[in-house]
Amino acid sequence: MSTDKVRVCVIGAGPSGLSVLYQFNQLKAQGEQLPEIVCFEKQSDWGGLWKFSNETGTDKYGEPVHGSMYQGLWSNGPKECLEFPDYTFDEHFGKTIPSYPPRDAIYDYLKGRWTKHDLRHWIRFEHIVQQVTFNEATNDFSVVVKNLPEDRVLPVETFNYVVVAVGHFSVPNVPDFPGIDQFSGRVIHSHDFRDASHFEGKRVLLVGASYSAEDIALQCLKYGAKNVICTWRTNPMGFKWPSQISERPLLTKINGNTVQFRDGSSAEVDYIILCTGYQFSYPFMEERLCLKTPNVLYPEGLYKAIMWTGGGNNKVLYIGALDQFYTFTLMEALKAHDDGIDFQTDYMTDLVKQTSYAYNLDASAAFHDWAEFKKEDIATYRSQCHSSIFTGKKSSPPNTPFMHEFDDSLQHFLNPNQMPTDKLRV
Ligand code: FAD
Ligand code: NA0
C-alpha cells in the first residue's frame, strides 16, 4: 500500500483493536512505513470488556456503559487457549499460574503485552465515533467523532480504511415475556449484573442457556442464593448442577412472583436475570456498511469473517465480530459446541496459513479437554490444569477452588498467602 496520506481509523481499544495496533507495530519493527493510524476509544482506558467498572446504564457522558463483566468473574476457558505465542503467561507473571485466572489477572496480562509494545500512543481515549460514511467520489470515509470530556463534535476526519473493533457483547438482547412488566421482583439483563452477593438468600430465575446463564448461576449460588432456576428455549445446558441449581423449559408467563414454564410447572422467584445474549450494534456505521448478524461462527457478508464485502466496498474490516472460542489469538491471526471448536480451529489454521503468521495456534486439544471437564463437573472445572501450547509447561492448580475463593484480586491471586485473613470469607 502506498503510505502517502493513507489514514486508517480503528474504532475500539479492546483486545480486538489492540491486536490490530500490535500488528501494525510489528510491521513498523520490520521496517515497513506505516499509514497514519488513529484509534478512537470511548472509554477512558484500554481493555474493552476486561476493564471492569461497577457502572451500569449510562456513563458520566450519557453514553451507554460498555462493560458487561462482573465482580468475581474468572476466565471461563483455559488461559492456554488464549495465550499469545510471543508473550506467554509465564513471561508476564514470571511464574506458572492456574489455567482459569480471575478477570484482573487476564487484564493485567493483556496490558503487559500492549505496554511492552508501546501501543497506547495511537489511541485517543474518551473519543466516541458517532458516524462513518463512505464517499464514492473520493473513495474514502468521513468519520464523525465526539470528544466526550469537552462535549464537542470534532471537525470531520477523512480515512482510507476503517477497522471496526467495538465488540458485540454490550448491547443487551431483551426479549419480552407475558406478565414480565407486572413481575413483583426485579428484572435485570446479564449486561447489568455486577455483584452476585446481591442475590444472597434469594430465589433467582435465569433466562438463557449459554455462557452467561451457566456462569451467573454458579456465581449466584457461590454468593448464597437460595436456589437458581435456569430456563431454556432450544436446549438445556445439561450439566450436572449442584442441587440448588436446576433447569426447566422456557417460561410461558409471569403472574406476580409466580413463573409458569412450558412443562406446566411453576415456581416463585425473587429476581429474574435475562441471560439472553447481546445484539450486534454499530449505530455509527452507514447502513450499507453495517454488519447485521446473529452471534454465529461465520457471519454472512464478511470475507474470512473479517472483511466487509457489501457493495464491493472492501475497505472496512470487522475484527472479532464472530462467536468465539479462540478469543484473543483469533483476533491476532487477523491476517454444536465440540464441532464449533474444530470449525474455528480450521478457520484459525486457514488464517494463519494465508497471513504467514509465524505460529501454530491450534489449541483444540485443550478446548476439547475443557468441554469434557465441564461435562464432568461444572462447579469444579476451573481447578483443572492445562499445558501451554508454546512452553509445554503445565499450569499450577488454583490455591483455592473457584467456588470457595472470595477474593478475586490480582494481588491475592499472585500471593495467596500474603493476604490478611479478613479478606477471606468463610
Ligand atoms: P470489547 O472488549 O467489547 O472492546 C470494544 C471496545 O470498543 C470497548 O473498549 C468500547 O468502549 C469501544 N467502543 C465501542 N463503541 C465505540 C465507539 N462508537 N467509539 C469508540 N470506541 C467504541 N473471552 C475470553 O476469552 N475469556 C473469558 O473468560 C471471557 N469472559 C467474558 C465475560 C463476559 C461477561 C463477556 C460479555 C465476554 C467475555 N469474553 C471472554 C469475551 C470478550 O468479549 C472478549 O474476550 C474480548 O473482550 C472481545 O474484545 P473486543 O475488543 O472485540 O471487544
Ligand atoms: P451469553 O450467554 O451472554 O454469552 C455471551 C442465550 O440466550 C442462548 O441460550 C439463547 O437461547 C438465549 N436466548 C436468546 N433469546 C432468547 C429468548 N427470546 N428466549 C429465551 N432464550 C433466549 O450470550 P449467548 O449469545 O452465548 O447466548 C444467549 C459471551 O459472553 C460469550 O462469548 C461468553 O464467552 C461470554 N461470557 C463469559 C463469561 C465468563 O468468562 C461469563 C458470561 C459470558 P437459544 O435458544 O438461542 O440457545 C465467566
Side-chain angles (χ1 to χ4, degrees), residues 124-373:
R124 289 195 211 161
F125 290 105
E126 294 185 303
H127 279 64
I128 185 168
V129 172
Q130 294 190 318
Q131 206 181 355
V132 176
T133 40
F134 183 66
N135 309 309
E136 226 85 57
T138 44
N139 200 21
D140 56 16
F141 298 88
S142 293
V143 177
V144 177
V145 177
K146 184 177 181 185
N147 176 327
L148 293 169
E150 293 178 8
D151 192 22
R152 185 167 63 91
V153 177
L154 305 176
V156 176
E157 292 204 43
T158 305
F159 290 93
N160 303 88
Y161 294 88
V162 172
V163 179
V164 184
V166 296
H168 55 91
F169 296 130
S170 278
V171 178
N173 171 41
V174 183
D176 196 17
F177 294 99
I180 199 163
D181 48 341
Q182 308 290 322
F183 177 56
S184 50
R186 200 170 154 221
V187 184
I188 64 165
H189 187 276
S190 55
H191 170 61
D192 296 319
F193 179 86
R194 290 290 179 273
D195 183 352
S197 64
H198 287 314
F199 303 92
E200 186 171 352
K202 303 297 183 199
R203 300 163 297 181
V204 185
L205 176 72
L206 304 186
V207 184
S210 185
Y211 298 105
S212 291
E214 165 196 317
D215 197 56
I216 289 175
L218 291 175
Q219 296 276 355
C220 287
L221 185 61
K222 176 173 170 178
Y223 283 86
K226 191 169 175 192
N227 60 56
V228 180
I229 299 172
C230 301
T231 177
W232 50 271
R233 177 173 67 177
T234 310
N235 287 307
M237 290 177 272
F239 296 117
K240 290 174 199 145
W241 295 104
S243 60
Q244 303 94 320
I245 301 177
S246 57
E247 292 195 71
R248 298 199 197 184
L250 195 59
L251 72 160
T252 50
K253 65 176 179 190
I254 300 161
N255 192 351
N257 68 351
T258 304
V259 181
Q260 307 275 346
F261 301 92
R262 263 192 202 153
D263 61 0
S265 68
S266 64
E268 290 192 355
V269 301
D270 303 305
Y271 280 91
I272 297 177
I273 307 179
L274 299 173
C275 300
T276 43
Y278 294 87
Q279 296 174 3
F280 281 63
S281 172
Y282 308 100
F284 48 86
M285 286 304 268
E286 184 183 357
E287 178 69 15
R288 61 187 167 153
L289 304 175
C290 190
L291 174 65
K292 295 188 184 90
T293 176
N295 190 19
V296 291
L297 285 169
Y298 209 89
E300 242 179 80
L302 294 183
Y303 175 68
K304 298 285 180 194
I306 294 172
M307 186 182 287
W308 179 248
T309 55
N313 190 323
N314 59 2
K315 295 182 158 200
V316 176
L317 306 182
Y318 283 87
I319 307 295
L322 64 183
D323 196 7
Q324 298 148 11
F325 285 97
Y326 288 82
T327 53
F328 305 153
T329 48
L330 172 62
M331 296 145 192
E332 189 74 19
L334 227 187
K335 346 182 197 177
H337 209 239
D338 289 20
D339 290 345
I341 293 169
D342 294 331
F343 179 87
Q344 200 155 80
T345 302
D346 288 348
Y347 166 70
M348 288 276 286
T349 307
D350 180 54
L351 281 189
V352 164
K353 216 186 292 170
Q354 305 255 344
T355 57
S356 317
Y357 191 68
Y359 302 94
N360 174 8
L361 297 173
D362 184 345
S364 54
F367 270 124
H368 285 296
D369 288 347
W370 161 74
E372 279 309 309
F373 291 143

